[in-house]
Amino acid sequence: TPGERLLAWCGRQAADVLVTDIRLPGKVDGWQIAERCREHNPELPVIYATGFSPVAPRPVAGSLLLQKPFHPDEIVRAVRQMTDGPQE
């Protein structure tokens, strides 16, 4: 499943920001993806996207939650905010 492939990827790749949906097909969700990636990179900023989650959003330091649907400009602003880039 996509979540399981991403778990394997987390240990091999470096990223500036992780953007993940909370609900993913299969047994792995976005919360688990972020936790695993942060085992390798504790400071990794995470942007969670959700239209519906059976689990109430929980505050996670260094993360943002975007409600779907969102405009593409919103994800650009969120990535810039998480990487301390310039705001437009």
Side-chain angles (χ1 to χ4, degrees):
T1 65
E4 290 163 340
R5 286 193 302 269
L6 188 53
L7 283 179
W9 175 87
C10 284
R12 299 188 312 264
Q13 302 293 323
D16 293 328
V17 177
L18 171 65
V19 180
T20 182
D21 203 312
I22 293 173
R23 289 186 64 188
L24 300 169
K27 297 179 182 179
V28 178
D29 65 20
W31 303 117
Q32 293 165 312
I33 299 294
E35 288 169 1
R36 176 71 60 86
C37 287
R38 283 184 162 179
E39 288 175 6
H40 302 283
N41 181 0
E43 303 301 316
L44 179 66
V46 179
I47 299 171
Y48 297 101
T50 189
F52 168 79
S53 175
V55 178
R58 56 187 185 244
V60 179
S63 70
L64 289 175
L65 180 71
L66 290 180
Q67 284 293 137
K68 293 192 277 184
F70 51 82
H71 190 276
D73 288 346
E74 290 179 75
I75 192 75
V76 171
R77 279 192 297 274
V79 169
R80 286 184 176 152
Q81 177 182 341
M82 298 303 287
T83 59
D84 296 321
Q87 300 289 312
E88 289 183 15

